Amino acid sequence: MDRFLRVFLVLSCLMLAVQGLTVGTLNETVTRSSCGTDRACFSTPADCDPTTNSACLLVSTRSSSSGLDFELRGESSGYIAVALSVDTTAGGNDKTYICANSNGTATFFFALLNNNTLEIQNDTTSISNVSASVNSTTIQCVFAVTGLNASMSRSADNTFAVVLATGTLSSDGTPSTPTVKTVTALLDLSNPSSSNTATVTTAPNVTTDANATTAATTTTTTATTTTVSGANIGLQHSLSQALLILFGVLAISLL
Ligand SMILES: *[C@@H]1O[C@H](CO)[C@@H](O)[C@H](O)[C@H]1NC(C)=O
Ligand SMILES: *[C@@H]1O[C@H](CO)[C@@H](O)[C@H](O)[C@H]1NC(C)=O
Ligand SMILES: *[C@@H]1O[C@H](CO)[C@@H](O)[C@H](O)[C@H]1NC(C)=O
Ligand SMILES: *[C@@H]1O[C@H](CO)[C@@H](O)[C@H](O)[C@H]1NC(C)=O
Ligand SMILES: *[C@@H]1O[C@H](CO)[C@@H](O)[C@H](O)[C@H]1NC(C)=O
Ligand SMILES: *[C@@H]1O[C@H](CO)[C@@H](O)[C@H](O)[C@H]1NC(C)=O
Ligand SMILES: *[C@@H]1O[C@H](CO)[C@@H](O)[C@H](O)[C@H]1NC(C)=O
Ligand SMILES: *[C@@H]1O[C@H](CO)[C@@H](O)[C@H](O)[C@H]1NC(C)=O
Ligand SMILES: *[C@@H]1O[C@H](CO)[C@@H](O)[C@H](O)[C@H]1NC(C)=O
């Protein structure tokens, strides 16, 4: 009986875990303050400051001992996302990190972006230290990614084009088709002097500028003006979280 219960609990937790990563509470504000000195920053509109521009979608990166640390902030009633492209075209198996507002609760998803579709991944072992906050439509999250490997060459491991996107959540709580806001040139995300060398894009058609590889200059982009419409959010996630906590308590009391 005891054993059955434990197996059941483990299975239940595994099934719930595939819905999204556990997300800690983010107590700080994601800003531009260390852009260019400590962190590489990419945003749409280029060089925007999220503390003064509510339309600003900002990601910053910094190399850590085992990979890259990310900070992401933007406005959406659904989700904001950063994807890493090895070829400046959004959508070819690009690793995509998604921070969502699930009915006021911050949730996190990992997906592959293919053909403008997000394929949610169950294996999130490359992602850790996720914390996030949601305040109205402002979503902020920080997370660490290990094992990125952009190319065969070790020195180019962190060289990606940064894709910034937003979208809504489907009624089952999963991220729907993203609206790609910008795709940068290929840049070394571990170099703080890398910044928006952006190329204009509208999903799913992506234009690239192969010559825009230097980090110093900034090409301003006309981001797509698609507005994210009202939230369409299911009960799934809060329910999952409640169950997860319940199972956790049960598991502990059983041990
Ligand atoms: C944020 O604050 C809460 C409450 O004080 C704390 O439980 C949580 O661990 C903090 N989060 C982080 C990432 O430090
Ligand atoms: C991409 O998606 C479109 C629309 O869903 C579909 O018609 C097309 O076959 C897909 N292409 C690939 C390569 O999967
Ligand atoms: C993740 O797990 C779910 C449920 O087990 C499954 O339906 C889905 O296909 C899996 N996704 C991937 C990308 O493996
Ligand atoms: C996660 O945070 C812990 C504690 O701050 C730190 O020791 C660890 O290196 C972090 N992991 C990654 C992958 O950054
Ligand atoms: C949420 O945003 C409002 C308006 O920007 C701000 O006044 C408030 O302090 C924020 N709340 C938290 C918990 O940060
Ligand atoms: C990156 O991948 C290539 C090819 O798979 C491999 O040869 C190389 O050792 C990897 N580099 C790192 C740092 O893992
Ligand atoms: C992509 O661009 C090509 C050429 O400009 C155009 O023919 C095609 O219809 C576009 N596809 C979509 C989905 O917008
Ligand atoms: C890129 O630069 C090369 C050499 O400066 C030039 O010949 C080529 O036309 C440029 N390509 C684009 C797309 O601007
Ligand atoms: C989600 O938000 C709606 C609207 O505010 C609310 O009625 C509903 O109770 C919320 N669901 C959960 C599980 O909190």
Side-chain angles (χ1 to χ4, degrees):
M1 161 67 184
D2 209 29
R3 187 179 287 172
F4 273 123
L5 210 59
R6 283 186 203 201
V7 169
F8 172 72
L9 288 175
V10 167
L11 286 177
S12 305
C13 288
L14 283 176
M15 283 171 67
L16 290 170
V18 303
Q19 302 244 333
L21 278 169
T22 308
V23 178
T25 306
L26 181 66
N27 299 316
E28 52 200 82
T29 304
V30 173
T31 67
R32 293 194 67 90
S33 60
S34 56
C35 289
T37 52
D38 191 39
R39 311 186 65 88
C41 295
F42 313 93
S43 66
T44 177
D47 292 328
C48 63
D49 182 350
T51 56
T52 55
N53 179 355
S54 64
C56 184
L57 179 54
L58 169 74
V59 68
S60 70
T61 55
R62 182 177 60 181
S63 71
S64 67
S65 54
S66 48
L68 285 174
D69 287 340
F70 286 78
E71 292 186 1
L72 179 63
R73 171 172 171 168
E75 296 290 321
S76 174
S77 54
Y79 69 84
I80 57 175
V82 57
L84 304 180
S85 169
V86 293
D87 55 9
T88 70
T89 300
N93 250 359
D94 301 341
K95 289 178 171 134
T96 307
Y97 307 92
I98 301 155
C99 302
N101 175 353
S102 298
N103 224 13
T105 301
T107 52
F108 190 94
F109 298 91
F110 176 46
L112 293 179
L113 180 59
N114 261 316
N115 196 19
N116 209 35
T117 300
L118 289 169
E119 297 164 4
I120 301 297
Q121 299 300 298
N122 297 329
D123 182 358
T124 55
T125 49
S126 61
I127 304 158
S128 57
N129 293 0
V130 183
S131 58
S133 67
V134 165
N135 181 357
S136 184
T137 55
T138 303
I139 302 172
Q140 300 187 99
C141 61
V142 306
F143 52 94
V145 177
T146 57
L148 289 172
N149 190 359
S151 77
M152 302 295 278
S153 142
R154 181 168 271 274
S155 62
D157 268 355
N158 291 313
T159 299
F160 293 95
V162 176
V163 179
L164 287 167
T166 62
T168 56
L169 295 179
S170 313
S171 51
D172 68 351
T174 58
S176 61
T177 301
T179 301
V180 173
K181 301 288 192 181
T182 196
V183 182
T184 70
L186 287 168
L187 295 162
D188 181 0
L189 305 194
S190 64
N191 182 347
S193 64
S194 296
S195 72
N196 268 67
T197 307
T199 53
V200 186
T201 175
T202 13
N205 267 358
V206 177
T207 56
T208 58
D209 181 352
N211 283 355
T213 47
T214 52
T217 51
T218 299
T219 317
T220 307
T221 66
T222 42
T224 56
T225 51
T226 316
T227 44
V228 179
S229 57
N232 181 16
I233 296 161
L235 307 180
Q236 207 99 2
H237 274 273
S238 336
L239 205 58
S240 299
Q241 277 166 358
L243 282 172
L244 198 55
I245 292 164
L246 185 64
F247 283 132
V249 169
L250 274 173
I252 289 164
S253 62
L254 279 172
L255 293 174

